[in-house]
Amino acid sequence: MITLEHVDKKYIEHHALKDVSLDFPKNETTVIIGPSGSGKSTLLRAINLLELPEKGHLKFDDLDIDFSQPISSKQQFQLRRKSGMVFQNWNLFPHLTVLQNITEGPRAVLKQSKTVAENAAKKLLELVGLPDTANRYPNQLSGGQQQRISICRALAMQPEYLLLDEPTSALDPELEIQVLRVLKDLAAQKQSMIVVTHNMEFARLVADRIVFFEDGQAIYNGASKAFFDHPEGRIKAFLEAISLESDEAADSNLS
Amino acid sequence: MLHTIVTSVPELLKAGIQYTIPLALISFFFGLILAVLTAVVKLMPKPGHKLPKLGWRILQAIFAFYVWLFRSTPLLVQLFIIFFGLPNAGIELPAFLAAVVTFSLNTGAYASETIRASISSIPNDQWEAAYTLGMKRPQILMRIIFPQAMRIAIPPLSNSFIGLVKDTSLASSITILEMFTVSQQITAKNYEPLLMYTIVAAIYAIFCSVLTYLQHYLEKRTSKYLSKDGAHH
């Protein structure tokens, strides 16, 4: 279980996280949605210490990280061992083959032998439907393929939680579907996941829980069904804005 | 004329193999180590991270001073200070060693900026992806950043190496019998400066051409993961 308590993060001219307290239960898929610039990516990145809030606690099972104190590299390592990250632009290592990308973590960090790591990697490639790409370089593959490989790379470390930061925002719709299917399978297997996304269909179909984030605060935190079936106030306005008048919504986000 | 060429070229080549090439290779080797060290010290800890410790900042200042010093003074003057000057301070280096020390320090100062720039040019995304796998900074540098930075550093580093090969001719001024010294000695005997200095220039050009070829080879090897037809952006 991941718990955030009173987490607060300020940039120079922007209050990104305002005293956020949230739970992310195990074996569930939590989808974080909300307008651009609402702080949802900052929140997700803070769970992996890619952003460092100034205040608050991050509790991950028995680990307790106090953001107001310096974080030791040992704590950092223990925390990152428990979660895997998938980025919007996948961030594969371009100089390594697909297989090497997936085995890099297990070999460098877990000190697995080449054979063990490669066998595990090949199984993961089967899982995401890309068994023939092992010896190719990322640059020779489509965005959707690269993103599925980056999911393999994260899974190869056997993380308790998979954190996904807008995993399909940079993809064309038909490539997006390939990635979302993989995530749907993972959700069905009870892999603990936290997903930041703009894809409402995915949120509706796959999420167990929804966190609606706006202006640095979690306005809604609860069951997915209630969120979509009985939206109220600001949430209703948001859902209507993105489903009916997307142009208008984009305009209001810009202002 | 043919006679002059036939008799002088073997002598010049001998001097080249005995002094010019070893001087350039050894100096570049140590210069490169120094350059990587300097670049890493200057870059770590990255800006935006917590304030580096005092000891580290002092180390950074020392390396910054070193780079400034060797880029701000002429190589010939550096050679003179280290070979002719240092004995006054009780440090007497044999000519060859003095030349290696000077060339290494000089190359290291320039190459450190090349390497620093090539490391900085690797997107921060790559660091982040490696961090989330649990990799530590030295591991990330060695396994993820250096291999990609190398591709970018090869052309400017080749510049430095080619420059160094030619600069070894300055060692003639501190009694080393490298190619240019030998060409001067032969000229003193046969009074053919135009011919002799053209020959020695040609030999330098051949050496550097080999390096240019090596550069192209290394560029190709380190770029094989960037196939053109695979680009999707």
Side-chain angles (χ1 to χ4, degrees), chain A residues 151-162:
Chain A
I151 292 170
C152 294
R153 178 176 68 177
L155 287 175
M157 297 299 286
Q158 297 177 315
E160 285 180 37
Y161 279 73
L162 201 56

Side-chain angles (χ1 to χ4, degrees), chain A residues 21-201:
Chain A
S21 296
L22 278 174
D23 295 335
F24 298 97
K26 228 176 188 157
N27 304 118
E28 288 191 7
T29 299
T30 305
V31 167
I32 306 176
I33 56 181
S36 301
S38 58
K40 49 195 196 308
S41 281
T42 307
L43 180 77
L44 190 75
R45 288 164 58 83
I47 296 174
N48 217 320
L49 305 182
L50 291 175
E51 303 284 348
L52 292 179
E54 292 91 32
K55 275 185 273 179
H57 283 257
L58 165 60
K59 292 180 178 165
F60 200 139
D61 300 339
D62 49 349
L63 263 175
D64 181 356
I65 285 173
D66 182 352
F67 285 123
S68 63
Q69 303 295 319
I71 297 164
S72 74
S73 51
K74 192 180 161 209
Q75 275 180 315
Q76 216 175 45
F77 179 76
Q78 285 175 330
L79 189 90
R80 284 177 171 156
R81 272 293 295 113
K82 287 168 170 283
S83 59
M85 186 90 179
V86 173
F87 299 88
Q88 183 175 356
N89 295 307
W90 37 92
N91 301 2
L92 289 176
F93 305 128
H95 63 298
L96 300 179
T97 63
V98 166
L99 199 66
Q100 287 168 335
N101 262 281
I102 302 171
T103 58
E104 183 65 10
R107 293 198 64 196
V109 179
L110 306 180
K111 308 291 176 202
Q112 282 181 9
S113 76
K114 197 176 170 193
T115 335
V116 170
E118 285 188 350
N119 286 340
K122 282 174 189 160
K123 275 186 199 140
L124 286 168
L125 282 174
E126 298 260 350
L127 190 81
V128 302
L130 294 168
D132 301 329
T133 59
N135 295 316
R136 304 180 65 184
Y137 285 99
N139 209 31
Q140 299 165 334
L141 302 170
S142 75
Q145 290 172 321
Q146 292 194 54
Q147 189 60 299
R148 283 184 278 163
I149 287 155
S150 94
I151 292 170
C152 294
R153 178 176 68 177
L155 287 175
M157 297 299 286
Q158 297 177 315
E160 285 180 37
Y161 279 73
L162 201 56
L163 314 175
L164 302 105
D165 188 8
E166 302 198 23
T168 61
S169 298
L171 297 172
D172 294 337
E174 76 271 26
L175 301 179
E176 179 174 18
I177 284 297
Q178 302 168 347
V179 173
L180 293 180
R181 282 194 192 123
V182 168
L183 297 183
K184 199 176 160 204
D185 288 348
L186 287 173
Q189 293 163 28
K190 298 290 169 202
Q191 166 72 48
S192 314
M193 287 194 284
I194 306 173
V195 191
V196 170
T197 186
H198 289 294
N199 189 309
M200 287 304 133
E201 199 194 349

Side-chain angles (χ1 to χ4, degrees), chain B residues 162-183:
Chain B
I162 287 171
L164 175 61
V165 169
K166 293 180 294 178
D167 285 343
T168 55
S169 61
L170 293 174
S172 64
S173 61
I174 61 164
T175 75
I176 292 176
L177 292 169
E178 49 71 59
M179 281 201 305
F180 186 51
T181 320
V182 172
S183 72

Side-chain angles (χ1 to χ4, degrees), chain B residues 51-62:
Chain B
L51 201 67
K53 297 208 172 72
L54 183 67
W56 192 262
R57 274 183 288 167
I58 293 171
L59 199 65
Q60 283 182 323
I62 293 170

Side-chain angles (χ1 to χ4, degrees), chain B residues 14 21 25 43 45 96 99 157 200:
Chain B
K14 188 170 159 248
I21 291 175
L25 280 179
L43 280 173
F96 190 79
L157 282 182
V200 80

